[in-house]
Amino acid sequence: MRQWLLLIAAILLEVTATLSLRGALDHPALYLVVAAGYIGSFTALSFVLRAGMALGVAYGIWGASGVALTAVLATVIFGDPLTAIMGVGIALVIAGVLCVELGSQAAHARQAREEGATA
């Protein structure tokens, strides 16, 4: 459970940093939020990996969630466009990450069965 909470923190910090990067164009003080957000995000992501989550799963969820949240929030906050084709792209990214997660779970289950059979 801890690794998932850390991953959520990493995602939220990255999205905050990215949105602040856009805001910093008009308010340069936000570059402090940008730097702190990215440093915090990578630190939290490193803790996720230390907690045992597979790199492909952690990075995939972190990246896909960041893309989706940033696109949606940039539309709400900055009025950026969010077209139907962009929505399809976000859905495909999320589907790809889901496939990576399911594949990772299947690999872990297979490895556990193999280890149980040899013990």
Side-chain angles (χ1 to χ4, degrees), residues 15-74:
V15 170
T16 299
T18 302
L19 292 171
S20 296
L21 185 60
R22 170 78 184 268
L25 297 174
D26 296 323
H27 306 285
L30 286 175
Y31 284 118
L32 295 173
V33 176
V34 172
Y38 285 130
I39 289 168
S41 180
F42 284 111
T43 301
L45 192 56
S46 73
F47 288 136
V48 170
L49 298 176
R50 269 192 206 150
M53 187 176 289
L55 176 61
V57 173
Y59 183 74
I61 293 170
W62 178 77
S65 299
V67 167
L69 280 172
T70 300
V72 170
L73 291 174

